[in-house]
Amino acid sequence: MRIALLAPLPPEQTGIADYAAHLRSALRELGLEVVTPLEGCQDLSEQLRRLQAFDWRGVNLVHAELGGGRFGEFQALEYLRRAQPQLPLTATVHDPERLIWRRAKLFFPLNALERLPPPLPQAAALLADPLTLHEERRLAKGMQRLITLTRLGGDCLRQRMGLRTEQVAVIAHGNLSIAPVELPPLAPLRLLYFGFIYRGKGIEDLLQALARTLTTHPHYRAQVRLTLAGGSAPEMTFDPAGNYLDGLRQQIAALHLSDVVDWQLDLPSADIPHTIQAHHVMVLPYRESKKLGFLGQMRGTSGALSWANACGRGVITSNARAFAEEVAGGNGITYRQGDIDSLSDALNRLLLDPHQVRQWAGTAADIGRQRQWNNTAQRFAELFRDACKEPL
């Protein structure tokens, strides 16, 4: 079987690019041929020219990765739906309940608002949303399969896009096979934030919650450490509001946390497992975007959470997205997103009873083994074969 994969790929620094690279490698190990006609190209016009020049003869199926605020893959599927109607189309939807959430280009006169100060660009996207949703539904209904990473995401996508039950499948986020490593000694308790470091991840909430915990229980100060680890690409950390990393450092100093917070920025891929396994629990304090809330509910998951399972470590996570489903098996706990007191309470309970990280770690390791990429790729291969057998 020859698959055309439309997706961002490394060296692009996104979780979806990493996901696509692992999926491509795992599918090839199963004997499937995977070609990537858009690899390395981010210009929308050039992407369209590549699609037009590509020889689609011999391609059995096209699979795309949708999400992360990207438009190219959606545009490519729209083009192929019209130009190559004989090809089955599938996609993993990383940010359900929508496919792209907003259009790449707004029409006149709304496009004039994009160049004006906030909140006018956001207002323009909201005014264009009925058309965006129409285009998303039109494409979604013409797809053979749409895959989500969680059941909640699949249910929300199916309902919002008006899809048939059989059009949506759930395949959990795959992860690498990581050799198990025992938990470190429980003192000090080592907390880890892992992921791309930019605004919207709730890192400020985590710092404030930890400060409140240490203010209430000052004797814990020598018993806990927090590491902030992950990517810090300039386009993510520099924005009109200033340098985000500098802002975090200033907040850490203001909260008197400099002696308990460590940094591991721009972590090489080879060092990720060791870094995670050197800690007891991962903390993911994500908040849902209030701006996106006007357009729908984001019910995706996190690549960082997949890494925690792969490395056999539990998580404390907010109840944003579909995280509650991801820890329902006993590999961690959730707290109310944006509620700093709730997160502080979770940290307090963990410090009072640190042994619970052993149970979380054991369950996470079991989940990690079930979701290794070789098993995940097998499920994709079966789905692709079924999709190819169905009439278009």
Side-chain angles (χ1 to χ4, degrees):
M1 178 179 289
R2 192 169 190 241
I3 309 287
L5 176 63
L6 309 176
L9 289 162
E12 290 189 48
Q13 294 188 26
T14 70
I16 295 178
D18 294 339
Y19 176 98
H22 292 312
L23 175 61
R24 177 178 62 176
S25 177
L27 290 172
R28 286 174 173 172
E29 288 182 6
L30 290 178
L32 279 68
E33 182 182 359
V34 182
V35 295
T36 51
L38 301 183
E39 184 171 2
C41 179
Q42 299 186 44
D43 180 78
L44 293 178
S45 298
E46 177 60 27
Q47 287 180 353
L48 191 57
R49 286 191 287 270
R50 284 197 186 188
L51 294 171
Q52 292 168 342
F54 189 77
D55 185 0
W56 294 98
R57 292 172 297 180
V59 172
N60 301 106
L61 178 139
V62 175
H63 181 74
E65 303 295 333
L66 297 176
R70 295 172 58 92
F71 305 108
E73 291 75 27
F74 183 88
Q75 172 187 265
L77 291 172
E78 281 276 40
Y79 167 78
L80 292 172
R81 181 179 62 85
R82 299 187 303 270
Q84 303 289 337
Q86 80 284 359
L87 283 174
L89 305 178
T90 67
T92 305
V93 182
H94 290 266
D95 300 324
E97 58 182 0
R98 303 287 293 266
L99 301 186
I100 55 170
W101 293 84
R102 61 187 182 91
R103 305 183 84 239
K105 295 181 180 179
L106 297 183
F107 48 84
F108 181 83
L110 295 181
N111 57 355
L113 298 179
E114 292 184 297
R115 297 184 292 272
L116 298 177
L120 292 177
Q122 291 80 4
L126 186 60
L127 290 170
D129 187 57
L131 176 59
T132 307
L133 183 58
H134 168 74
E135 292 172 343
E136 288 176 304
R137 285 173 171 165
R138 180 180 62 195
L139 176 63
K141 290 178 180 179
M143 303 281 290
Q144 293 296 101
R145 291 289 190 282
L146 290 170
I147 298 100
T148 61
L149 306 178
T150 64
R151 291 187 299 275
L152 177 61
D155 291 342
C156 291
L157 180 73
R158 184 185 303 112
Q159 183 176 8
R160 192 68 186 273
M161 295 294 113
L163 302 175
R164 304 185 309 275
T165 300
E166 61 272 19
Q167 280 183 279
V168 179
V170 178
I171 301 179
H173 198 304
N175 56 252
L176 297 174
S177 176
I178 306 295
V181 172
E182 290 187 5
L183 286 164
L186 293 179
L189 189 68
R190 298 186 179 276
L191 311 175
L192 172 69
Y193 168 85
F194 170 70
F196 289 104
I197 297 177
Y198 54 86
R199 300 181 199 281
K201 292 297 188 79
I203 301 172
E204 301 91 338
D205 292 350
L206 174 55
L207 295 174
Q208 291 183 54
L210 180 58
R212 291 187 188 184
T213 292
L214 296 181
T215 298
T216 305
H217 304 284
H219 55 282
Y220 284 155
R221 181 169 289 272
Q223 300 177 33
V224 62
R225 297 201 67 81
L226 168 65
T227 301
L228 302 179
S232 61
E235 64 271 18
M236 297 177 179
T237 57
F238 286 88
D239 60 30
N243 186 323
Y244 182 58
L245 290 178
D246 285 348
L248 286 180
R249 292 187 178 101
Q250 292 168 8
Q251 183 185 17
I252 289 168
L255 293 172
H256 307 290
L257 293 176
S258 300
D259 60 321
V260 298
V261 175
D262 302 310
W263 293 85
Q264 292 192 35
L265 297 178
D266 302 319
L267 200 62
S269 296
D271 293 344
I272 292 174
H274 169 74
T275 298
I276 296 174
Q277 290 175 328
H279 293 78
H280 297 95
V281 63
M282 187 181 293
V283 186
L284 300 175
Y286 290 16
R287 284 191 179 200
E288 294 173 7
S289 168
K290 293 181 179 179
K291 296 175 184 177
L292 286 179
F294 290 106
L295 306 177
Q297 300 179 82
M298 186 175 285
R299 291 294 176 254
T301 183
S302 162
L305 210 161
S306 176
W307 271 109
N309 289 328
C311 295
R313 294 298 181 264
V315 293
I316 297 174
T317 177
S318 74
N319 61 355
R321 305 189 185 184
F323 291 157
E325 178 181 327
E326 290 285 75
V327 300
N331 53 318
I333 57 172
T334 61
Y335 71 93
R336 294 186 301 276
Q337 62 172 306
D339 188 332
I340 295 169
D341 286 335
S342 180
L343 176 53
S344 181
D345 288 343
L347 297 178
N348 290 341
R349 293 194 300 272
L350 184 60
L351 286 166
L352 288 169
D353 182 19
H355 295 279
Q356 61 189 308
V357 300
R358 299 189 188 282
Q359 177 184 338
W360 296 350
T363 303
D366 291 340
I367 295 172
R369 284 189 289 270
Q370 296 166 15
R371 297 182 178 182
Q372 288 178 5
W373 270 114
N374 57 343
N375 298 326
T376 302
Q378 185 63 53
R379 294 194 60 191
F380 270 99
E382 293 170 0
L383 181 146
F384 293 158
R385 294 188 185 101
D386 290 343
C388 289
K389 295 176 184 177
E390 296 174 0
L392 298 175

